[in-house]
Amino acid sequence: MTKLNLLYASEMGTAMEVADNVSEIAKNKSIDVDQAELNDVSMDDLLTMNKVLIVTSTTGDGDLPMMGEMFWEELSKAEIDLKNIEYSVCALGDSSHFHFCGAGKKVDEKLEELGAKKILERHECDGDTEGYEEWAAISLEKLGF
Ligand SMILES: Cc1cc2nc3c(=O)[nH]c(=O)nc-3n(C[C@H](O)[C@H](O)[C@H](O)COP(=O)(O)O)c2cc1C
């Protein structure tokens, strides 16, 4: 059975907690979950993935958390074909910042630009984590799990 690649980046722990909970939701559906920090994912790794969920918060001024900085550095300049990926993004942020959910937004836009298929619109959390469970449930269904 195809596995789920659950990729995350968090600065203060909230997005990590969300990723852990999404992993539990998936495992309760007997899905084979491979959970990893974004920085542990190379572009070669990405090319082997099919079903991907990404959970990331935003730090600085619309930036990826430290555990996703290296990934973004690679992805932002990548010229690879990600047509084999189906994905969705859960972005955590706070609308008091100018670049609301900037990290999730730029990763989402770049994946789409590289040919990955977005199976569900990005879910944006504003100052909390509301709605991520529904996002996870619908995403898993649309990914065919
Ligand atoms: C120093 C700092 C910078 C932030 N910058 C942004 C930002 O540019 N855009 C945004 O939407 N949220 C921003 N946030 C809000 C966080 O993304 C939000 O609180 C999130 O839930 C934190 O998740 P985490 O605990 O996984 O890092 C910032 C928070 C901090 C502490």
Side-chain angles (χ1 to χ4, degrees):
M1 195 175 110
T2 317
K3 69 181 172 191
L4 169 70
N5 290 103
L6 175 58
L7 315 179
Y8 69 97
S10 173
E11 197 66 42
M12 314 279 277
T14 320
M16 193 182 323
E17 211 171 289
V18 168
D20 287 346
N21 291 342
V22 171
S23 177
E24 281 309 305
I25 292 171
K27 284 175 183 164
N28 285 338
K29 289 176 176 284
S30 302
I31 296 168
D32 183 9
V33 185
D34 196 345
Q35 188 174 345
E37 289 183 22
L38 280 176
N39 279 355
D40 289 337
V41 178
S42 69
M43 295 304 105
D44 282 346
D45 293 334
L46 259 192
L47 284 165
T48 68
M49 295 180 186
N50 301 117
K51 296 175 188 285
V52 177
L53 291 181
I54 295 181
V55 179
T56 182
S57 63
T58 297
T59 192
D61 194 10
D63 303 321
L64 271 285
M66 203 186 291
M67 64 172 75
E69 266 182 348
M70 271 160 40
F71 171 82
W72 175 244
E73 207 176 297
E74 293 295 313
L75 184 71
S76 59
K77 59 184 188 219
E79 293 177 16
I80 50 178
D81 185 354
L82 296 180
K83 67 173 184 299
N84 291 327
I85 287 186
E86 293 181 299
Y87 79 100
S88 185
V89 174
C90 177
L92 277 68
D94 193 312
S95 57
S96 63
H97 294 264
F98 182 72
H99 294 290
F100 175 52
C101 286
K105 184 166 184 254
K106 60 190 184 186
V107 169
D108 188 4
E109 287 174 350
K110 184 66 187 182
L111 289 176
E112 196 165 42
E113 186 191 314
L114 294 175
K117 186 182 172 213
K118 190 181 336 204
I119 50 94
L120 184 64
E121 284 307 315
R122 179 172 69 248
H123 177 64
E124 297 183 338
C125 298
D126 187 359
D128 54 30
T129 62
E130 213 178 299
Y132 83 83
E133 284 146 314
E134 197 188 356
W135 166 81
I138 299 173
S139 293
L140 292 175
E141 201 182 306
K142 295 211 174 209
L143 286 170
F145 287 113

